Amino acid sequence: MSPQVFYRKWRPQTLADVVGQEPTTQTLLNALRQGRVSHAYLFCGPRGTGKTSTARILAKAVNCLTSGKDEPCNTCAMCQAITEARALDVIEIDAASNTGVEDIRDLREKVNYAPNQACYKVYIIDEVHMLSNSASNALLKTLEEPPPHIIFILATTELHKILPTILSRCQRFDFRRLSTTDIATKLTHICQTEGIHIEPKTLHLIAKSATGSLRDAENILEQLTTYYGTEISFPHVQAILGITGDSRTRELVKHITNNNVSAGLTTINSVNNDGLDLRQFNRELVEYLRALLLIKTSTGESLDLTTEDLTELEALAFGTSLEQILRATKLFGQLQFSLDSYSTLPLELALLDCILSTEEAKKTPAIQAEAEFIPSANKPTTPPPKPAITKPEPAAVTFEPNLQTKSPPTTPVTAAPIVSPPQGSTEIERLRLNWKLMIEQSPLDTKKTHAIAILRSGGVKPTTIENDIVSLAFKHPALKEQIEKIENQRVTERIISTFLGHPCRVRCILENNHLVKAVLKVGAQIMEEK
């Protein structure tokens, strides 16, 4: 006989062995002791949490030849027959394969027959939500008033798909996801018995990756032992689970909090160049951002981290706003990778959206303050109906006489062309010399856009002007793609047109390499960009 897989070999055989479901197992044990076993039960909860195992234990307990009103002895002939799945009176039905009404009608005919050997005939219907509506309705009458020797135990992972009329006829027990600690404790016991040498932190990683399912954790452990034998290390688990464990997740979070676009894009592309799974890298990044979010909100007690990791997270959270962490967690948590999982574009766009949104939020108060302090000579003669901040009247009286004797005020922040900027021999030189000044004196309504933040980032510069078409060279493809969005391109064209004093169009290109720059210097022209 071939050896059993771990999840079958270590299946619980008593209610006390069921891990992490104490409310359910204790209630069933009390019902057995008091002789108050119901005719129909409904076990619902996530996969791998013990629903079917508990159903089999209950079937053994009510039919145990030794007791019948307590835990099963697991030594009598009936208990052993049920454990080995050869008892004729314990019938397991897979509702996913028997969904039709004819299957349920056949079951209704068989329930009228008395048990062959056991005290009770127990029907365990797994994945009962897969029954068709007609099959579920056919089961109702039998489920409500079955013969006295019949017990139904229904199991499902999707409670919302069960008919309310079936729910009302059963005692319902909710099986919860198992905690990481409970799973790790069970795995430790298995390893000690099986002679597997593995570190506690490695078991904890297996338990965490199982997401509350003990069966999944046991399958992972068996897969590890099959490949690596009885000596299992932390890197082995990372390799099997596809977990990168890469320190660059932390580096990227630091670049996000420091608003460093160039370093962030470099980190993302280095991860891709090393051949790491970008989906998994993003999952670990989101998990690290979640930990940072919990630390920032002073709710990090649930995090199972080392002292060094906690110290690092606390230092990072101290210098970062809650809004920035929340924005990053949402953006990276909602990423949808295309079929081409090797493309870095989703990560790059999320990085840019996060940093540019943060910079825009920081600049908004400064823009409002700038609008408030425009010299009074440039303001309308009548005050606006709803000013953001009303200036005290004495201050206006103090400044008004001085405006008659002093030189004309500085250029206001309006949509009018900028007057007398520093001159260059050509338009392109003038644009290059006054690039920062152009951005600072751009129309007021453009300063709240993503386009202005990209132009200010330093990753873009003007290269040529031909037939009123301004070519802008970008260091990073992601910045170029952002400006090429219709709304951003229109804002950019408006800013440049306002500065130059005539309408212009914008063309976005990637920054040329040294060979292209050399031929441009001797008079060559770029005819087409690909």
Side-chain angles (χ1 to χ4, degrees):
M1 178 179 177
S2 60
Q4 287 184 312
V5 295
F6 277 0
Y7 81 87
R8 294 185 61 189
K9 181 178 181 180
W10 292 97
R11 187 188 295 274
Q13 300 301 324
T14 64
L15 293 173
D17 292 339
V18 179
V19 177
Q21 310 296 343
E22 287 75 14
T24 296
T25 55
Q26 187 59 47
T27 303
L28 292 175
L29 191 58
N30 291 340
L32 286 167
R33 290 170 178 170
Q34 298 170 15
R36 300 176 62 181
V37 177
S38 177
H39 68 281
Y41 292 95
L42 175 62
F43 294 166
C44 54
R47 71 181 191 281
T49 53
K51 300 184 297 295
T52 306
S53 297
T54 304
R56 292 176 180 176
I57 294 169
L58 182 59
K60 286 193 293 185
V62 296
N63 290 310
C64 181
L65 301 179
T66 303
S67 172
K69 290 190 175 183
D70 207 331
E71 291 273 26
C73 68
N74 289 315
T75 56
C76 67
M78 185 55 62
C79 285
Q80 290 182 355
I82 296 174
T83 300
E84 297 170 5
R86 52 183 176 81
L88 299 177
D89 296 320
V90 176
I91 302 98
E92 292 191 32
I93 300 174
D94 179 18
S97 304
N98 301 274
T99 61
V101 65
E102 294 299 329
D103 299 310
I104 299 303
R105 287 174 179 169
D106 182 59
L107 182 150
R108 289 175 56 185
E109 292 178 2
K110 293 179 179 179
V111 297
N112 294 317
Y113 295 105
N116 292 304
Q117 297 174 323
C119 299
Y120 292 93
K121 183 179 286 188
V122 182
Y123 283 89
I124 301 173
I125 305 179
D126 199 10
E127 301 298 338
V128 69
H129 65 273
M130 296 294 291
L131 291 177
S132 63
N133 284 338
S134 57
S136 297
N137 288 320
L139 182 63
L140 284 177
K141 187 62 177 178
T142 303
L143 198 62
E144 183 176 17
E145 296 179 2
H149 56 269
I150 296 295
I151 296 176
F152 283 101
I153 305 176
L154 314 181
T156 180
T157 56
E158 300 185 42
L159 181 65
H160 61 281
K161 293 184 179 180
I162 304 295
L163 291 180
T165 47
I166 288 183
L167 291 175
S168 65
R169 288 163 168 80
C170 302
Q171 280 193 20
R172 169 181 162 183
F173 289 91
D174 292 303
F175 285 68
R176 62 189 182 188
R177 288 189 180 276
L178 304 183
S179 68
T180 303
T181 302
D182 287 340
I183 295 177
T185 302
K186 179 67 174 181
L187 294 181
T188 301
H189 174 68
I190 294 175
C191 290
Q192 290 173 349
T193 308
E194 297 285 342
I196 301 170
H197 303 287
I198 188 170
E199 295 179 356
K201 72 170 185 177
T202 307
L203 285 177
H204 181 81
L205 181 60
I206 297 173
K208 186 177 180 181
S209 65
T211 62
S213 172
L214 180 58
R215 182 171 66 238
D216 288 356
E218 290 170 339
N219 283 335
I220 293 171
L221 180 62
E222 183 172 25
Q223 185 179 0
L224 287 164
T225 57
T226 302
Y227 191 84
Y228 296 107
T230 58
E231 299 290 338
I232 301 174
S233 64
F234 194 81
H236 293 162
V237 178
Q238 288 182 317
I240 287 292
L241 297 178
I243 298 175
T244 66
D246 200 284
S247 60
R248 282 172 289 192
T249 55
R250 304 180 184 186
E251 289 181 11
L252 187 55
V253 172
K254 290 179 182 178
H255 297 326
I256 292 171
T257 57
N258 293 331
N259 296 326
N260 194 333
V261 173
S262 298
L265 293 174
T266 301
T267 299
I268 292 173
N269 283 279
S270 69
V271 170
N272 185 53
N273 292 337
D274 289 346
L276 299 183
D277 186 349
L278 296 180
R279 297 172 191 262
Q280 181 60 32
F281 179 81
N282 185 63
R283 283 193 287 267
E284 295 176 30
L285 177 66
V286 173
E287 185 66 24
Y288 194 76
L289 286 169
R290 172 183 172 271
L292 185 61
L293 185 65
L294 293 178
I295 292 293
K296 186 65 177 179
T297 55
S298 302
T299 55
E301 297 83 4
S302 60
L303 296 173
D304 189 6
L305 299 172
T306 63
T307 305
E308 294 78 7
D309 290 340
L310 282 174
T311 303
E312 182 181 7
L313 280 169
E314 289 171 355
L316 195 58
F318 180 78
T320 311
S321 66
L322 179 60
E323 292 78 10
Q324 186 177 13
I325 302 172
L326 181 61
R327 188 182 300 112
T329 306
K330 285 183 177 179
L331 285 171
F332 286 96
Q334 296 172 355
L335 282 189
Q336 295 291 332
F337 286 86
S338 62
L339 294 177
D340 180 11
S341 60
Y342 301 103
S343 174
T344 58
L345 184 60
L347 286 170
E348 291 169 340
L349 293 179
L351 173 71
L352 285 166
D353 283 345
C354 180
I355 293 179
L356 295 179
S357 300
T358 302
E359 290 182 350
E360 179 184 340
K362 288 181 179 179
K363 290 164 186 170
T364 300
I367 294 170
Q368 293 175 348
E370 184 180 355
E372 292 165 9
F373 286 99
I374 295 176
S376 58
N378 296 300
K379 294 183 179 180
T381 55
T382 57
K386 291 183 179 180
I389 298 178
T390 304
K391 293 290 182 180
E393 190 62 24
V397 174
T398 302
F399 278 83
E400 194 64 32
N402 295 334
L403 293 174
Q404 298 175 3
T405 59
K406 291 186 177 181
S407 58
T410 57
T411 304
V413 184
T414 63
I418 300 171
V419 179
S420 300
Q423 297 297 318
S425 59
T426 62
E427 261 194 340
I428 187 61
E429 289 184 7
R430 180 169 159 243
L431 189 60
R432 290 171 181 167
L433 291 172
N434 297 279
W435 185 256
K436 292 184 179 179
L437 179 62
M438 179 195 73
I439 295 172
E440 291 173 1
Q441 296 184 346
S442 60
L444 181 61
D445 57 340
T446 65
K447 294 192 176 184
K448 298 181 180 180
T449 62
H450 281 183
I452 197 73
I454 297 173
L455 297 177
R456 189 183 282 112
S457 67
V460 55
K461 62 182 179 181
T463 56
T464 61
I465 300 178
E466 295 286 344
N467 300 323
D468 293 333
I469 298 177
V470 181
S471 297
L472 299 181
F474 293 81
K475 291 182 179 180
H476 303 290
L479 295 177
K480 175 177 175 288
E481 291 174 3
Q482 286 288 319
I483 286 293
E484 285 177 335
K485 291 182 178 180
I486 295 177
E487 61 274 14
N488 291 337
Q489 185 167 347
R490 287 177 179 173
V491 171
T492 304
E493 290 173 349
R494 182 184 171 198
I495 294 171
I496 297 176
S497 298
T498 300
F499 175 76
L500 295 178
H502 60 84
C504 293
R505 299 295 302 276
V506 166
R507 181 180 62 172
C508 301
I509 61 175
L510 288 177
E511 190 172 37
N512 298 317
N513 59 34
H514 64 284
L515 295 177
V516 178
K517 291 179 180 178
V519 296
L520 287 175
K521 286 183 179 179
V522 297
Q525 293 183 356
I526 298 175
M527 304 302 296
E528 183 179 0
E529 292 284 341
K530 293 184 178 181

